[in-house]
Amino acid sequence: MSSRVVPYGRWESPLSAKQLSTSSISLHEVVVDEKKSAIYALECRPAEDGRFAIVQHLNGQTRDVLPTNLSAHATVQELGGGSMAMRPDGKIVFSESKSCDVYLLDPATSTATRVHAAVDGIRYGDFCIHPTAIQRVIAIKEDHRDATPETQATHVRNTLVAIDVESGTETTIAEGDDFYSHPKFDSTGKYVSWIQWSHPDMPWTGTVLYYAEWDGGRLKNATRVAGEAQKESIAQPKWGLDGMLYFTSDRTGYWQLYSFNVRDHSVQPLSFPTLAKSDFAIAEWKLGSSTYISLDEKTIVAAVITNATSEIMIIDLSTSTVRALDLPYIDLAQPGNGIYRVSSSSFAVVGATRASPQELGLVTLASGSVKRTTLASTASFVLSADYVSTATHLTAPQKYGPLCDGNVHMFYFPPCNPDFTPEENTLPPLLVHVHGGPNGCVTPALNLEIQYYTTRGFAVCAVNYTGSTGFGREYRERLSGYWGIIDTADAVSAVDSLVEKGLVDKSRVGIYGGSAGGYLTLQALHMYPDVWAAGVSSYGISDVRALQADSYKFESQDVDRILLSKTPTDQRERELTERSPCNHAKKMKAPLLLLQGTIDMVVPVAQARIMADAMHREGRIAEVVEFEGEGHGWIGKKAVYESLQRKEDWWVRYLS
């Protein structure tokens, strides 16, 4: 059938908001019962109002094993992760979303028993089970009992605890630092390792790795292994099957692999010269990251990340060699995706490819061959390859802002729909997607929202602006002191590059993002008002001074690093005013849509209301849509559906 001539931005898409809100899920964590080769995945389901279900994959069969009245999701550090852990007897320890109680799930009978009640204001996460004394669980404990919304930055307390789920007793085993993560028993149960850090660090700026002897429910002889505040980030310590403690460190400028020998306390790099400028870990916004695993005593499987694009490789420790497995998963730089051991010859992957959305895959290695099986897709529908817009990695010179001595990275997705042809001599409107974090990233993998736009005739540019992860420590840290300035300028440099290449219509450019991406959107609209025809901010920051006052603990001191670290003390108040978009509404020309959850603890709802009020006082166009009961990102079907519909209507109205 011949294609119809229809203007860009008005094409009929095979993707609908209803599909994305009711026929798609997201995958978050995986645990494995290696004795049975049973894989358990955590699924967030918009159609069930954002409930987190535990799903078993065994012998080609799939079934829900968590009772429908429960939701398995830990909320330590607000952003979650580390929600469940597998016991050696095949039962699963997990944190329940609403009560924060600790439960034990028997997948065979789908029976969930509360084994440790959480006092109101207490949260648990990042569990690990003792390999032989299986009643013993170590976890992060986060105590909010003394905190109010105004004091959550300073009055929330994090510790490491040991819980005996049979006696109900709880013992603090590590305290005194601001944060803890990755508590892990070794395979014998003799040692425990963990990471800890204090303000003003984030996990990707400076952490310290420790290990200690396990002594009947307590730790003794705690020893520092590696890491340094504000200088070296340690990530993902894991005990290997050979008894070594593996971890990643960015002491060279990239997260590279190292081993620690408990017998002689030696630290050795796993050196691979061709991968020296790649990362083996990610910025740990969530707990429970897993970008590499020990397959057997001599083999590690790892996601190697270069330019925010992952490639799964196998490492032979006996020969210090590495080879690619030719697997299509390219977005393991994203939190929530990962690699998980199933057996000595197989592993599970959560990730997306260039042509398919996030999935749970099983990879089996045998006789030199690599077999990949899809166990679950996050979409119950298939987007035909004819409609998939494939990303191209581009760089552009920095032309604006305080630093013009580097390049901006981006992924460009052109419009793609075989059913339609654009009008002659026209170029597509452009949507610039700016990710959150700001120390986060976008990847070239298939993203259904991006495809939602490209199949409608919009081009999308996903920008990995200065400060993005997946490009090494130097690129991350170039943002320090310049948040809201250099990242905003990078977005404009990306637009200029695409316009100069003749790929997009410079008169029809929109910008959108969430959280820090929402802040960048607001900054862009007033700093470069002539570039943009419209903007959409989802849970974005409009007043950085108010954000500091109301900030949750995890990020509460990071504003100083990324925004004020280059500002003299006597100019800090003025700089906070200058970097708050709500004070610059008069300069904004483009219509603004603000999307916000009412129970967002990371960016409170007041931030959207402040921005809209400022716009209205200046006679500007601004609309606010509040989603009742939603937090920092949408998990319920109503919010997912309406946010897509609102954005689509906004772009059609102002860009097409």
Side-chain angles (χ1 to χ4, degrees):
M1 185 174 70
S2 61
S3 60
R4 289 189 290 149
V5 177
V6 176
Y8 283 117
R10 294 184 176 270
W11 299 348
E12 295 175 13
S13 171
L15 294 175
S16 70
K18 182 178 180 180
Q19 282 177 309
L20 271 60
S21 61
T22 62
S23 301
S24 64
I25 59 171
S26 56
L27 293 165
H28 293 264
E29 302 173 37
V30 168
V31 295
V32 179
D33 180 354
E34 295 185 12
K35 293 178 182 177
K36 295 181 178 179
S37 296
I39 300 168
Y40 297 90
L42 198 62
E43 296 183 0
C44 180
R45 297 172 172 173
E48 297 180 31
D49 294 325
R51 174 176 169 262
F52 287 79
I54 299 176
V55 181
Q56 180 192 73
H57 300 270
L58 176 63
N59 299 326
Q61 302 295 314
T62 298
R63 69 183 182 96
D64 281 22
V65 294
L66 184 68
T68 56
N69 64 316
L70 298 175
S71 176
H73 180 54
T75 55
V76 172
Q77 296 175 186
E78 301 296 345
L79 301 175
S83 302
M84 59 181 182
M86 176 62 65
R87 290 206 327 185
D89 64 355
K91 296 180 180 179
I92 299 170
V93 172
F94 72 92
S95 175
E96 207 281 321
S97 299
K98 294 180 180 178
S99 66
C100 298
D101 294 339
V102 180
Y103 277 78
L104 184 63
L105 171 69
D106 184 350
T109 62
S110 293
T111 303
T113 306
R114 187 175 67 181
V115 292
H116 195 68
V119 176
D120 188 32
I122 299 293
R123 307 175 187 180
Y124 299 96
D126 220 359
F127 305 102
C128 187
I129 318 297
H130 193 281
T132 55
I134 61 174
Q135 79 277 12
R136 300 279 196 174
V137 180
I138 53 176
I140 302 169
K141 177 181 180 180
E142 189 170 81
D143 188 342
H144 291 247
R145 288 177 293 179
D146 294 333
T148 66
E150 294 75 30
T151 64
Q152 59 174 328
T154 55
H155 287 58
V156 172
R157 184 167 176 258
N158 292 60
T159 55
L160 279 185
V161 296
I163 301 169
D164 188 315
V165 299
E166 291 183 357
S167 67
T169 57
E170 176 185 301
T171 306
T172 300
I173 58 175
E175 59 184 332
D177 235 330
D178 286 322
F179 300 97
Y180 297 84
S181 69
H182 290 287
K184 293 285 187 296
F185 285 107
D186 79 323
S187 61
T188 67
K190 182 178 180 181
Y191 300 111
V192 173
S193 60
W194 71 94
I195 289 173
Q196 62 187 63
W197 71 97
S198 281
H199 284 314
D201 270 315
M202 297 298 283
W204 48 91
T205 65
T207 57
V208 181
L209 170 61
Y210 286 87
Y211 92 101
E213 297 173 33
W214 175 256
D215 184 19
R218 297 185 182 274
L219 302 181
K220 67 178 184 180
N221 300 326
T223 303
R224 177 188 171 279
V225 176
E228 186 175 354
Q230 299 186 50
K231 290 186 178 180
E232 181 183 4
S233 166
I234 306 298
Q236 293 187 51
K238 299 182 181 186
W239 293 95
L241 298 175
D242 57 358
M244 304 288 277
L245 177 58
Y246 292 93
F247 62 94
T248 67
S249 164
D250 69 351
R251 63 183 63 172
T252 65
Y254 294 84
W255 277 303
Q256 296 280 290
L257 282 168
Y258 295 80
S259 65
F260 171 72
N261 190 323
V262 295
R263 292 184 294 276
D264 61 12
H265 285 198
S266 63
V267 173
Q268 299 294 331
L270 277 62
S271 181
F272 309 106
T274 60
L275 304 176
K277 291 188 176 182
S278 297
D279 288 314
F280 286 80
I282 63 174
E284 297 193 327
W285 283 97
K286 297 183 178 181
L287 300 172
S289 297
S290 182
T291 53
Y292 74 93
I293 49 104
S294 287
L295 204 59
D296 58 36
E297 292 185 359
K298 296 181 180 180
T299 311
I300 288 176
V301 174
V304 181
I305 300 160
T306 310
N307 293 337
T309 304
S310 61
E311 184 175 17
I312 297 179
M313 299 190 178
I314 191 164
I315 297 168
D316 187 327
L317 296 173
S318 62
T319 60
S320 295
T321 56
V322 60
R323 65 181 175 89
L325 288 178
D326 194 27
L327 291 166
Y329 302 108
I330 57 174
D331 71 337
L332 272 66
Q334 294 286 15
N337 293 344
I339 301 173
Y340 308 88
R341 184 181 189 272
V342 176
S343 71
S344 61
S345 60
S346 62
F347 57 94
V349 181
V350 174
T353 76
R354 290 184 182 271
S356 59
Q358 186 195 41
E359 68 177 36
L360 172 64
L362 176 64
V363 177
T364 304
L365 309 177
S367 303
S369 67
V370 180
K371 179 184 177 182
R372 167 189 162 226
T373 304
T374 298
L375 302 180
S377 173
T378 51
S380 61
F381 53 88
V382 176
L383 179 63
S384 169
D386 292 340
Y387 295 88
V388 173
S389 176
T390 303
T392 300
H393 176 236
L394 301 173
T395 59
Q398 291 178 309
K399 295 172 61 176
Y400 306 96
L403 300 178
C404 293
D405 58 350
N407 290 319
V408 183
H409 295 269
M410 72 190 92
F411 292 109
Y412 176 69
F413 297 83
C416 183
N417 188 326
D419 300 332
F420 297 94
T421 299
E423 295 174 323
E424 288 187 14
N425 302 317
T426 61
L427 293 171
L430 173 67
L431 301 180
V432 176
H433 171 51
V434 283
H435 62 72
N439 296 125
C441 71
V442 288
T443 78
L446 187 142
N447 174 293
L448 286 175
E449 182 174 353
I450 288 177
Q451 301 297 322
Y452 186 88
Y453 299 136
T454 56
T455 52
R456 284 166 167 76
F458 295 94
V460 176
C461 173
V463 185
N464 276 316
Y465 50 78
T466 299
S468 298
T469 57
F471 300 87
R473 184 173 183 121
E474 182 182 357
Y475 195 72
R476 289 199 309 271
E477 294 199 335
R478 275 170 63 88
L479 180 71
S480 297
Y482 296 120
W483 185 40
I485 298 177
I486 188 172
D487 45 352
T488 305
D490 283 355
V492 180
S493 293
V495 172
D496 274 10
S497 176
L498 296 177
V499 169
E500 289 170 2
K501 288 180 169 63
L503 295 174
V504 298
D505 182 347
K506 70 176 182 179
S507 69
R508 297 189 292 164
V509 180
I511 183 169
Y512 74 102
S515 193
Y519 172 61
L520 194 160
T521 295
L522 300 177
Q523 284 287 91
L525 294 186
H526 81 79
M527 291 180 66
Y528 303 91
D530 295 326
V531 174
W532 316 103
V536 178
S537 169
S538 299
Y539 39 93
I541 302 113
S542 65
D543 186 336
V544 293
R545 182 183 285 103
L547 182 74
Q548 278 193 311
D550 297 335
S551 184
Y552 73 120
K553 182 183 177 183
F554 183 57
E555 288 188 85
S556 62
Q557 294 192 25
D558 200 37
V559 171
D560 277 12
R561 173 182 69 91
I562 58 180
L563 192 146
L564 297 172
S565 59
K566 299 187 186 307
T567 302
T569 302
D570 61 350
Q571 297 178 29
R572 289 169 66 94
E573 286 302 312
R574 186 182 72 178
E575 195 66 20
L576 288 172
T577 299
E578 182 62 26
R579 301 251 197 125
S580 295
C582 64
N583 297 319
H584 303 287
K586 189 175 183 178
K587 302 174 186 175
M588 297 183 178
K589 298 179 181 179
L592 172 63
L593 176 63
L594 297 142
L595 306 176
Q596 180 70 48
T598 60
I599 60 169
D600 192 337
M601 297 296 290
V602 179
V603 178
V605 65
Q607 291 279 337
R609 296 170 182 170
I610 289 169
M611 190 68 239
D613 288 345
M615 293 281 282
H616 293 157
R617 284 194 300 271
E618 299 296 339
R620 305 304 189 198
I621 298 173
E623 293 183 16
V624 180
V625 180
E626 296 181 8
F627 299 117
E628 191 67 34
E630 291 283 353
H632 202 63
W634 329 129
I635 60 175
K637 66 178 179 180
K638 182 177 184 297
V640 174
Y641 175 83
E642 190 172 348
S643 66
L644 283 168
Q645 284 286 84
R646 292 276 189 161
K647 284 188 274 191
E648 179 187 351
D649 292 346
W650 203 255
W651 302 134
V652 170
R653 189 188 316 173
Y654 294 109
L655 299 187
S656 70

